[in-house]
Structure formats: C-alpha cells, structure tokens
Amino acid sequence: MKVLGIETSCDETSIAVLDEKCIVAAETYSQDVHAAYGGVVPEMASRAHLQKIDVLCRSVFDKNGIDPRQLSLIAVTDSPGLAGALLVGIGFALGLHCGYGTAITGINHVEGHICSIFLEYPDIPLPFLALAVSGGHTSIYRVDDFGIYTCLGRTVDDAAGEAFDKIGTMLGFTYPAGRAIEQEAQKAASEQHIAFPVARAGAGQLNFSFSGLKTAVKYFMQGKDSLWIDEHRALICASFQKAIVDALVENMYAATRQTAITAVAVVGGVACNGYLRQRMMAACGPAVFFPSPSLCTDNAAMIAKAGLERGKRNLLRFPHMAPSAEI
Ligand code: KG4
Ligand code: ZN
C-alpha cells in the first residue's frame, strides 16, 4: 500500500510517499517569502504553494520511479490552517483523485503531528501523552490509540512557536526565529537568567498562556538602549526560552502525574529545540520520545502516516466534506 501525503497548511509545501514499512520519498519546500514580513502572509503562502506543488510532486515521482497509478490513497491536510493555503493542497489532491481514481482522505494537521511519532517509534507504548508544540499549536493530548485522542490542555492565546517567532522579530531575528533563538541562547552563561513570567493556568489545569511573555519582553526591552540589547541578546534569548520551556515541562510533568501515564511524545516544530528535549527528558523520565527534526516541522510524511492508519481502520473522510475534524 503506497500513500501520497500532501501538506500545505502554512508555509511548507510538502509531498511524501509512504508504504507500510518506510518513507519511500519525501520533499519539502520551506517558503522564504515571509521572512521580510516577520510572519506568514496568507496570500503569499497560497501563491507560493501554487507555484511549487506540481513541481515538487513531479520531482518526488520522477526521482523515485513512482507511478501515480501505484498509489492506494491520497492523504491531504484539510484543517486547521490558512484557508487559501489548505485549498491549494486540497485542490491538487482532488485533481489527482479525479485523474487517477485514487481514494482520498482529509487529515487534521495536529493528528498528523501526533502520527509523526509512529514513523520512527511504531512501538511507542499506548496510552501515551503527546505535547503538540509548534507555531500554530500548543496542546497536550492523551493518546489511547490511533484516532483516540483526548485534549487535556491547550494554549488559550499564542502558541509556543508563535512566542519564539514574535519575540524573535522584536530582537531582530528573521522569521521563523525558533532555531536562531536556540543557537543565540547557547552563548549565554547558563547560571544567569532574567525572570520573565509565563502565566500559569492554576493548580490542576494544563492550559498554557504565552501572550503575556511577549509583552513582558517588550516592556523589559523598552527600558534598555540598543547597545545594551546587543550585548545581552543571548541572555534575553536564554531567559525567555527558559520561561517557555518551564511552562511546557511543568504542564507535561503535571499531566503524567494526573494520568499516571509515563510515556510522552513531543511533536511539532518546537520539538526540534535541544533545551526543551533535555529538560523534558530530565523531568519526565526515560520514556520520552521525539521525532527527528525533519519530522517535527511541517512535513507530508506525517500526513501520509495518518492517512495510512485511517485507511487500515476504514476511517477515511472526504477532504472538508465530513463533520469537523477538530481534535
Ligand atoms: O510544526 P511547524 O513546522 O509549523 C506549525 O505547525 O506551526 O512549527 C514551526 C515552529 C516555528 O514557530 C518555529 O520557530 C519553531 O517551530 N521552531 C523552533 C525550533 N525550530 C523550529 N522553536 C524553538 N526551537 C527550535 N529549534
Ligand atoms: Zn505543524
């Protein structure tokens, strides 16, 4: 069974082909048009997907000798995401579906991120807790099996990756800023920190709030001249990275205590962060799993994996035509 995955929900155009055993082929194009604007410009994202998707798909097929008629299923991200960007992927997938008569399914992007863990850890013990942490999402799920997810907590405002990106822009980093901030933070002396606050949702609550952190860093910087900021950029980065990671780790640790579930998966773009990985392993013990960095950020292999598992269980749904796929 070969599954074609298509992902265009934000600023990555990604195509992958997966079979039961492995990722057969995958290519991802990260749009760079947004860097000058400090964030994703939806209209530009849709146009960039439109320019790239056909080229990328042909490249995946041609370089790997894949005949589209061999595909058993097309899995395409259909929510959540930028409407115009999603429509490019959905339209392309429907074109292939009509042209080749291949079965098709819509996939929830966050379910895709959760499924990224099964690509490299097919035997991850169930149930496990998943922290989906990216530029658009910060949520904790209890995963009882494929397709059986219970949301235990989520951000009430900004996502953690969004906080990295927005504060990064204030500090002069280009979008997306997460990786550059992590690298800058490594230059800081580890024992020093500015105490930036992250709002806590209250005892027993597993929600997050990161919008206040952005404001706290903004006000902190207002009192400083640019020379001071230049000299202390690493300290500022290390401090707000610590504030974000403290909140993520504290809530995940609390979730393991509340549920008595010890296996933890951390997925999504922010899961690339080495400091988060190290702190999460220290707090939550040995059964903490992370995808490889290329499977943490948006990619079509995770969408194909979700499609493959849905196919096996007769859970296919036509893109955007089924009741809300929100998880
Ligand atoms: O999963 P993803 O590619 O897209 C969304 O679904 O949002 O995640 C992108 C996010 C961006 O906010 C980016 O800054 C962040 O992941 N990110 C990182 C790192 N690498 C990517 N954040 C912190 N540290 C990193 N090393
Ligand atoms: Zn994502």
Side-chain angles (χ1 to χ4, degrees), residues 2-323:
K2 276 199 176 67
V3 180
L4 174 69
I6 300 174
E7 159 61 38
T8 64
S9 65
C10 191
D11 56 347
E12 259 91 28
T13 316
S14 185
I15 300 281
V17 175
L18 195 74
D19 68 16
E20 292 278 352
K21 291 200 201 85
C22 64
I23 301 169
V24 177
E27 284 190 35
T28 298
Y29 169 71
S30 295
Q31 302 175 354
D32 49 17
V33 285
H34 310 290
Y37 301 90
V40 179
V41 183
E43 175 66 15
M44 288 184 161
S46 313
R47 286 179 186 274
H49 286 306
L50 211 46
Q51 281 165 1
K52 207 72 189 178
I53 193 161
D54 182 37
V55 182
L56 208 62
C57 191
R58 277 174 201 277
S59 165
V60 164
F61 289 169
D62 292 349
K63 283 187 198 152
N64 300 281
I66 296 164
D67 180 340
R69 282 167 295 213
Q70 297 170 340
L71 299 170
S72 316
L73 177 67
I74 299 162
V76 58
T77 307
D78 70 350
S79 63
L82 302 171
L86 288 166
L87 277 171
V88 174
I90 294 169
F92 187 75
L94 288 174
L96 292 174
H97 162 72
C98 293
Y100 295 104
T102 316
I104 189 166
T105 188
I107 296 293
N108 178 292
H109 181 79
V110 184
E111 178 172 51
H113 275 301
I114 293 172
C115 285
S116 67
I117 206 69
F118 296 120
L119 288 165
E120 293 171 307
Y121 301 100
D123 300 323
I124 183 170
L126 290 163
F128 65 86
L129 297 176
L131 171 65
V133 62
S134 70
H137 317 278
T138 302
S139 305
I140 299 175
Y141 297 93
R142 177 190 165 111
V143 180
D144 280 280
D145 198 351
F146 172 84
I148 307 177
Y149 318 113
T150 312
C151 184
L152 304 179
R154 62 172 77 228
T155 181
V156 296
D157 41 53
D158 290 352
E162 196 178 353
F164 271 103
D165 295 337
K166 286 181 175 167
I167 299 171
T169 306
M170 283 168 12
L171 285 164
F173 293 98
T174 46
Y175 172 88
R179 187 156 177 266
I181 287 164
E182 179 184 1
Q183 286 168 347
E184 184 70 22
Q186 283 163 357
K187 300 178 194 162
S190 57
E191 66 282 0
Q192 271 185 355
H193 283 111
I194 305 158
F196 290 128
V198 168
R200 295 295 193 268
Q205 298 280 309
L206 298 175
N207 285 340
F208 301 96
S209 168
F210 293 109
S211 66
L213 175 65
K214 191 178 57 195
T215 314
V217 178
K218 187 176 164 195
Y219 285 144
F220 177 83
M221 284 178 30
Q222 273 174 2
K224 312 286 181 290
D225 62 40
S226 57
L227 191 66
W228 191 95
I229 292 173
D230 281 347
E231 281 173 4
H232 295 84
R233 190 170 273 105
L235 174 67
I236 300 170
C237 288
S239 302
F240 83 78
Q241 175 179 258
K242 179 178 180 307
I244 293 171
V245 168
D246 281 350
L248 297 173
V249 169
E250 276 171 31
N251 275 12
M252 279 311 276
Y253 177 71
T256 61
R257 300 302 294 245
Q258 281 178 27
T259 59
I261 295 171
T262 52
V264 166
V266 186
V267 300
V270 181
C272 294
N273 187 285
Y275 178 64
L276 170 65
R277 288 179 177 231
Q278 173 206 320
R279 289 278 314 276
M280 199 64 83
M281 286 189 290
C284 296
V288 182
F289 301 83
F290 302 89
S292 299
S294 63
L295 297 173
C296 288
T297 47
D298 286 352
N299 67 88
M302 67 186 194
I303 303 302
K305 179 64 178 167
L308 191 134
E309 297 299 331
R310 285 196 162 263
K312 280 194 219 160
R313 293 165 177 80
N314 284 325
L315 292 173
L316 301 186
R317 45 178 202 85
F318 205 63
H320 260 57
M321 297 292 284

